[in-house]
Amino acid sequence: EVQLVESGGGLVKPGGSLRLSCAASGFTFSNAWMSWVRQAPGKGLEWVGRIKSKTDGGTIEYAAPVRGRFTISRDDSKNTLYLQINSLKIEDTAIYYCTTLGGSYTGYWGQGTLLTVSS
Amino acid sequence: QTVVTQEPSLTVSPGGTVTLTCGSSTGAVTSGYYPNWFQQKPGQAPRALIYSTSNTHSWTPARFSGSLLGGKAALTLSGVQPEDEADYYCLLYYGGAWVFGGGTKLTVL
């Protein structure tokens, strides 16, 4: 059974930093293209970025609004995807989902982790 | 800035058929945009329904289908069930970035 479990969310002050994690199981993580998607309270879905598998070049792409502050990485030895967020803003408040978008394992989503940015 | 457009809301009767569309501010949507469709119910994570225009996942009910229609990506629900009431999002690929539509709230009434 495929599982994606996000963690690392919480309450953080503006200007701070945080790293979110997504633990994957039930499939060959190293072959998967992984994405982060976020959803602000009461709003729609927003694609944040994607990292391809190393065998497909490991390319990382970001949405324009987060480029420069967000960093996506992966540790295939730990089957884990990461999202480092720096210089946090109030508008970064959202549920952050990891998902397999594109590639061989497209279609799986985690349950999300809530990040609240507030002073 | 690229904008992906969806109907804000639609209403359908149980057993009926409804088509949701997904347009692009850049012009006609083609298979090269790899249209994806997702369903989201209140308090739940999104669930993938369709990828690459018309491909279904193993869990996608047979009443859901994807296509290209009049320059847009389309999601058709045939024989709508009460449990299909949800928000539906499309997603398009722009060669380096994915962009979600604003979502369609489907009411089954």
Side-chain angles (χ1 to χ4, degrees), chain A residues 26-106:
Chain A
F27 63 103
T28 306
F29 178 78
S30 60
N31 290 344
W33 297 5
M34 301 300 300
S35 280
W36 287 99
V37 172
R38 68 181 179 180
Q39 186 170 36
K43 302 296 185 183
L45 301 174
E46 179 184 19
W47 177 80
V48 169
R50 178 179 74 180
I51 183 168
K52 291 186 177 180
S53 62
K54 287 186 171 59
T55 55
D56 289 315
T59 309
I60 306 175
E61 300 159 326
Y62 296 98
V66 307
R67 206 170 288 138
R69 290 194 302 120
F70 286 34
T71 302
I72 296 174
S73 61
R74 64 191 300 158
D75 185 337
D76 291 342
S77 68
K78 295 182 179 179
N79 290 345
T80 301
L81 174 72
Y82 301 103
L83 178 65
Q84 176 73 37
I85 309 176
N86 298 326
S87 303
L88 277 159
K89 303 178 181 181
I90 290 175
E91 52 264 39
D92 293 324
T93 295
I95 297 173
Y96 286 76
Y97 297 101
C98 72
T99 174
T100 57
L101 180 59
S104 304
Y105 300 102
T106 194

Side-chain angles (χ1 to χ4, degrees), chain B residues 52-73:
Chain B
S52 295
T53 305
S54 59
N55 294 285
T56 56
H57 297 281
S58 59
W59 54 81
T60 305
R63 60 184 180 275
F64 290 87
S65 63
S67 65
L68 295 175
L69 196 63
K72 297 182 178 182

Side-chain angles (χ1 to χ4, degrees), chain A residues 39 43-45 95 97 109 111, chain B residues 37-49 84-89 104-106:
Chain A
Q39 186 170 36
K43 302 296 185 183
L45 301 174
I95 297 173
Y97 297 101
W109 289 69
Q111 285 304 302
Chain B
W37 290 92
F38 304 90
Q39 177 193 65
Q40 188 179 35
K41 296 181 179 180
Q44 296 184 15
R47 181 174 75 143
L49 294 173
D84 296 333
E85 184 163 293
D87 294 326
Y88 291 85
Y89 294 92
T104 295
K105 184 176 184 61
L106 182 67

